């Protein structure tokens, strides 16, 4: 900004033209801005999404119980789904992530795409931060160009991976969650829910704490 209060695209310290004083400062600003917005987004989701903790296997499978699983009746099925789905949500998510890993490993194209994209970002981000260029053999490429290129590659990689993750792993994960929540006995959850004024939406107070 000039002395008269008008904005000037010329860097104040280096005299170079552009929005930022130099390319190095521009890249650093982009990275810091991305980190800031990423942190804010994580905090936003964490505050508004109440994900319960993982349940121990003894709780998840009802080990030691006389009859932890049984076929539910009509009304009992609805009650079990309302209570068990939110209560074991983290376990279901963990199962889904494991299935996602298996689906990527068993899909060579997805696996190679993920490895190459991750390796590309790793090499670029680990390069000399004081330099605004990157050497590829005898070629010298501006880092801004590499960031744009990797961004495009990441978009196509993401589309490919989403197609893989929304395949059999998603459907199997949903089947596992529905079958477990429908078959898992919810007597203790029902008693606790009644004690907590019948909060059948998963907000059942202290019972959601890790055993």
């Amino acid at each position: 900004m000039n002395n008269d209060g008008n904005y000037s695209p010329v860097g104040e310290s280096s005299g170079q033209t552009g929005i930022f004083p130099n390319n190095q400062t521009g890249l650093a600003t982009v990275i810091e801005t991305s980190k800031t917005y990423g942190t804010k987004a994580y905090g936003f989701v964490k505050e508004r999404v109440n994900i319960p903790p993982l349940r121990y296997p003894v709780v998840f499978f009802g080990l030691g119980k006389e009859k932890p699983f049984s076929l539910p009746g009509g009304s009992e099925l609805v009650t079990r789904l309302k209570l068990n789905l939110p209560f074991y949500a983290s376990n279901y998510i963990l199962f889904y992530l494991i299935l996602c890993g298996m689906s990527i490993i068993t899909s060579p194209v997805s696996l190679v795409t993920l490895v190459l994209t991750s390796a590309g970002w790793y090499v670029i981000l680990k390069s000399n931060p004081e330099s605004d260029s990157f050497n590829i053999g005898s070629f010298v490429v501006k880092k801004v160009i590499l960031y744009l290129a990797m961004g495009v590659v990441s978009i196509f990689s993401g589309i490919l991976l989403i197609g893989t993750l929304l395949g059999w792993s998603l459907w199997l994960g949903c089947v596992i969650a529905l079958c477990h929540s429908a078959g898992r006995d919810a007597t203790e959850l029902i008693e606790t829910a009644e004690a907590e004024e019948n909060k059948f939406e998963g907000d059942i107070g202290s019972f959601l704490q890790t055993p």
Side-chain angles (χ1 to χ4, degrees):
M1 183 175 292
N2 296 331
N3 294 330
D4 57 1
N6 296 323
Y7 175 78
S8 173
V10 180
E12 296 178 358
S13 61
S14 63
Q16 296 182 5
T17 60
I19 296 177
F20 302 105
N22 50 56
N23 289 336
Q24 178 182 343
T25 305
L27 291 175
T29 303
V30 171
I31 294 175
E32 289 301 321
T33 302
S34 301
K35 289 181 179 179
T36 300
Y37 280 104
T39 302
K40 289 182 178 180
Y42 174 76
F44 178 84
V45 173
K46 186 177 181 180
E47 290 178 0
R48 288 161 176 76
V49 180
N50 183 22
I51 300 179
L54 282 172
R55 308 301 171 186
Y56 294 129
V58 66
V59 177
F60 185 77
F61 295 106
L63 302 179
K65 301 294 182 180
E66 182 178 351
K67 198 175 182 181
F69 292 92
S70 62
L71 293 176
S75 59
E76 186 181 10
L77 174 61
V78 176
T79 301
R80 286 186 179 183
L81 292 177
K82 285 183 177 180
L83 289 175
N84 286 334
L85 280 175
F87 186 75
Y88 298 105
S90 296
N91 296 77
Y92 300 146
I93 293 174
L94 178 61
F95 272 110
Y96 173 63
L97 293 178
I98 294 174
L99 293 175
C100 286
M102 294 175 58
S103 64
I104 293 177
I105 293 176
T106 55
S107 175
V109 176
S110 299
L111 181 60
V112 171
T113 301
L114 178 62
V115 170
L116 292 181
T117 303
S118 301
W121 278 114
Y122 178 82
V123 172
I124 294 175
L125 295 177
K126 286 296 183 180
S127 61
N128 185 4
E130 298 180 357
S131 176
D132 61 350
S133 60
F134 187 84
N135 296 327
I136 304 177
S138 59
F139 296 96
V140 179
V141 183
K142 293 290 185 180
K143 282 188 177 179
V144 174
I145 303 300
L146 286 179
Y147 279 120
L148 292 175
M150 285 302 302
V152 174
V153 171
S154 298
I155 291 175
F156 284 101
S157 300
I159 294 174
L160 178 62
L161 290 176
I162 288 176
T164 301
L165 300 181
L166 295 181
W168 64 267
S169 56
L170 176 62
W171 295 108
L172 183 56
C174 290
V175 170
I176 291 176
L178 291 175
C179 290
H180 177 272
S181 59
R184 180 70 171 88
D185 179 67
T187 302
E188 294 183 2
L189 292 178
I190 293 173
E191 293 175 353
T192 305
E194 291 175 350
E196 295 291 334
E197 298 179 348
N198 294 325
K199 295 180 181 179
F200 286 112
E201 298 302 326
D203 184 16
I204 55 176
S206 60
F207 197 79
L208 288 179
Q209 300 298 321
T210 304

